[in-house]
Amino acid sequence: MISVYYFGAIALVLVGLYGVLVKKNLMKILISLSIMETGVNLLLISIGYVSGKSAPILSEGVKWNQAVDPIPQALVLTAIVIGVATTAMALSAAILIYEKYGTLNVEEIRRLRG
Amino acid sequence: MLKRSLAIISILIIGYWLAQGLAGVPFGEDKMLVGHYYLQHVKEQTGAVNAVTAIVVNYRGFDTLGEVTVLFIASTGVGALLWRKKRGRTARTEGSVVLTTGVELLFPFIVMFGAYIFIHGHLTPGGGFPGGATMATAFLLLYMAFTIYEIPHKAFEKVEGIAGMSYVLVGLIGLAIGGYFLFDWIWQTWHWGSDNIGRLFSGGFIPVIYTIIGIKVGTELSGIVDNMLKEEVRE
């Protein structure tokens, strides 16, 4: 039986993938990419969980063997920032595309370029 | 309709495949190999209580340098993509009095809280990136509430560049003293604050680097917001 966290993370990735495959609006595709990224981060963080242990902040009586794995948390910290950066880039590209073509529909943009 | 059903079928296949792969990774069990080493030695090797920030800044400092570089490239790229000769705020509706007064009152508190987060990165959850994002939120509030507000560009861009350079500079000082890039010279050479682990003045160079990163991230995200909210002005 798969854990509910893994299931949720996979479901988020798949929902994002569905949006990227099916949707035609550029903004919806970007939202789907963000959802996928959230799913990947959730998957990473849930792999590092150890049942019954606390956050890896070793103050106030938390011994080193009472903490969860700190490495996935560090990785996710990096991944979140990179996701925000790529989303900002993609959004400004979307602004430019709307100014140039007057539409955000992916198929119409493809047709306009000829 | 055909496209959607095809997409759903292929996605279900991919999901089953991913779930099969994850079935071999048990949830909630101790799978740490390097993690044990980090948790065991984090206090005496870095002086930080928060193991995550110690890993992010100290053990895997190169990751953070790359991350800061990615964010810098993104903010430069947004600036380059949205570059126009004459740009300005074109918002027309001023917020209500309640909104503007509320933002004026909240602004210093949000900035103070952001600074608190990145200064206490080695003690509490958080660090440079959440703190910087909180500070950028304060500037976003100003942008949302006032129609004419703009960040002070000259100061902001200089502060951003200086913060980025001083991060590399701290790493280079470590190279000169300890022999490798991003060597924690404050902790391992000076032993500064080694008798008050868990208090503010400890943690080697983690608070220093996180202050630098927090300022850099805050100015960068505010710059991205500024670029996105401005539109071309036509006479």
Side-chain angles (χ1 to χ4, degrees), chain A residues 53-59 62-63 66-68 73, chain B residues 39 50-52 125:
Chain A
K53 304 220 169 153
S54 67
I57 293 169
L58 308 174
S59 62
V62 179
K63 293 275 172 299
Q66 290 168 347
V68 300
Q73 306 198 9
Chain B
L39 287 173
N50 187 346
V52 179

Side-chain angles (χ1 to χ4, degrees), chain B residues 149-184:
Chain B
Y149 179 75
E150 269 194 50
I151 53 171
H153 280 279
K154 285 201 167 150
F156 256 59
E157 277 139 26
K158 269 175 200 148
V159 165
E160 184 190 331
I162 289 169
M165 284 197 307
S166 40
Y167 185 13
V168 178
L169 196 71
V170 170
L172 285 177
I173 292 172
L175 182 69
I177 293 178
Y180 57 94
F181 191 60
L182 290 172
F183 173 78
D184 189 350

